[in-house]
Amino acid sequence: MNLRQSFKFPNLDAFFGTSPSALFSPGPSLASSTPIARMAQYVSPTPPIAGLARSSLALGLLLTVLFTPVDQLFFRSQSVPAGTLCGGVAGDLSLFCMSQPHDSPAAKIIAVVILVAVVVGLLPGLTTWLHAWVAWSFQISSPIPDGGDQVGAMVATWLCILYFADTRLTHWSYRSTPPIQPVRSMIRYSGSSLLILQTAVIYGHAFIAKLSVPEWTNATSLWYWIQHPAFRPPQFITEILSFISSSWIGTIGLNYGTLVLEASLMLVFLMPRRAAAIVAVIAVVFHIGIALTFGLWSFFCSMLCVVILGIIVPHTNRLALEAKFANSTKNPDPRITQNGG
């Protein structure tokens, strides 16, 4: 496959690995039994939409590194005078500890180059490992990482398994030549399973942690957040949220609605396909709302990746398998024709 074909954007069916509308059709949950060996033989775990998730994850960290001054990324303080947390085996391997002083541009330039390559989609079999190195380097070395950085580092690790031995030129490719090897694919499907579990853990932790906070249990948390000077959203959003929060129905809806959504995402792998797809769409809208309200765009990029890889892609892979065996009478030995390798 040449470079031009690798960057050719596929149609929607090829992009998802199946018809997008099929996601909203009745079907089993991700927890139901699935012939992994059969999926590994016939369906790649990384259709182009998985590449979109990977690009989104890298974009979040790229925006942070590129547009945040170094003295804020690596804040010097009395407890961290160098600005970077180094030391130990992990610290010594950190990209941001290899270049001293901490405000040297070398590490930032290397990180930007790697992250741009990931966003573009180049050589996923190689750049997933480099991406994980950069993500963990930032997570380890920055004295003030946020939740999005922690999620990004963990998910970047599972991506190394999901894209294990991927030989494509870009992750946008949607034809596998030659057909994928079942053993390699089974290893990669283990990465997909870990991402499903990671999704449940992330949202489960968020939900359970909120239950011990009085402001969440009494439905006043959002009001306090929009009043906080450090997190106060733009004026027009503040006015909208204040109007909604002025009624008890709006207050309960916004606060308890968040808890219900996070609980649903914790258990989404148990939901039938149609319900899971609806929850995934609501989750994306929810995270867009958080990004618009509090300006947490890098966090949005990380969570968009989680929703795609933890909910959407596993269901599209099952649909692709169903479609192949539905046509087995016409093609008794189906091979990958839509999903990437």
Side-chain angles (χ1 to χ4, degrees):
M1 183 178 291
N2 60 39
L3 184 63
R4 186 172 183 178
Q5 289 176 320
S6 296
F7 281 98
K8 183 180 179 182
F9 196 80
N11 59 47
L12 277 179
D13 286 7
F15 185 75
F16 280 83
T18 186
S19 171
S21 60
L23 283 167
F24 297 92
S25 64
S29 71
L30 293 177
S32 62
S33 60
T34 304
I36 296 297
R38 181 170 292 182
M39 291 189 70
Q41 184 177 3
Y42 296 119
V43 180
S44 165
T46 52
I49 190 173
L52 174 64
R54 182 170 172 262
S55 292
S56 177
L57 185 68
L59 179 62
L61 184 54
L62 177 63
L63 292 174
T64 300
V65 172
L66 198 58
F67 295 107
T68 307
V70 176
D71 59 352
Q72 294 182 27
L73 280 177
F74 303 104
F75 183 73
R76 294 179 186 269
S77 64
Q78 189 173 7
S79 58
V80 189
T84 52
L85 297 172
C86 300
V89 176
D92 292 340
L93 295 176
S94 169
L95 169 63
F96 300 100
C97 292
M98 292 179 176
S99 176
Q100 292 294 337
H102 82 289
D103 53 359
S104 169
K108 184 172 183 176
I109 292 172
I110 293 172
V112 168
V113 170
I114 291 172
L115 293 171
V116 167
V118 177
V119 171
V120 173
L122 286 173
L123 300 173
L126 170 64
T127 54
T128 45
W129 296 91
L130 297 176
H131 178 196
W133 176 47
V134 173
W136 274 108
S137 293
F138 186 74
Q139 166 66 18
I140 292 169
S141 301
S142 175
I144 49 172
D146 63 16
D149 300 325
Q150 296 169 353
V151 170
M154 184 58 68
V155 174
T157 303
W158 305 143
L159 284 175
C160 292
I161 304 175
L162 186 64
Y163 282 88
F164 174 74
D166 193 311
T167 58
R168 290 175 296 169
L169 183 60
T170 77
H171 62 211
W172 307 113
S173 303
Y174 59 100
R175 291 190 182 276
S176 177
T177 307
I180 196 166
Q181 298 175 1
V183 174
R184 184 181 70 180
S185 188
M186 287 186 70
I187 294 173
R188 294 169 63 184
Y189 266 108
S190 68
S192 180
S193 299
L194 287 168
L195 285 161
I196 294 171
L197 178 61
Q198 184 73 67
T199 301
V201 170
I202 288 171
Y203 285 106
H205 179 270
F207 168 67
I208 294 171
K210 287 181 175 63
L211 295 181
S212 62
V213 179
E215 289 79 11
W216 277 107
T217 56
N218 62 26
T220 60
S221 178
L222 183 61
W223 185 87
Y224 284 111
W225 278 108
I226 64 176
Q227 300 301 321
H228 196 291
F231 299 100
R232 190 177 180 88
Q235 184 62 33
F236 76 97
I237 295 180
T238 300
E239 292 176 357
I240 293 173
L241 293 177
S242 296
F243 174 76
I244 295 174
S245 301
S246 63
S247 67
W248 67 270
I249 295 178
T251 298
I252 291 176
L254 286 175
N255 287 271
Y256 291 161
T258 299
L259 294 175
V260 170
L261 177 59
E262 290 179 341
S264 299
L265 287 162
M266 176 180 64
L267 301 173
V268 71
F269 67 98
L270 298 174
M271 297 181 182
R273 181 164 58 220
R274 178 184 291 170
I278 293 173
V279 170
V281 171
I282 295 173
V284 172
V285 174
F286 170 72
H287 286 297
I288 291 174
I290 292 177
L292 288 171
T293 303
F294 300 111
L296 301 175
W297 288 103
S298 62
F299 180 73
F300 164 74
C301 290
S302 295
M303 298 315 297
L304 176 63
C305 175
V306 169
V307 171
I308 292 175
L309 293 179
I311 305 174
I312 297 175
V313 169
H315 277 292
T316 61
N317 289 339
R318 289 194 178 193
L319 283 165
L321 182 68
E322 292 173 10
K324 289 180 187 301
F325 279 87
N327 297 325
S328 60
T329 55
K330 297 180 181 179
N331 182 8
D333 187 25
R335 286 291 185 264
I336 301 169
T337 58
Q338 297 296 329
N339 287 19

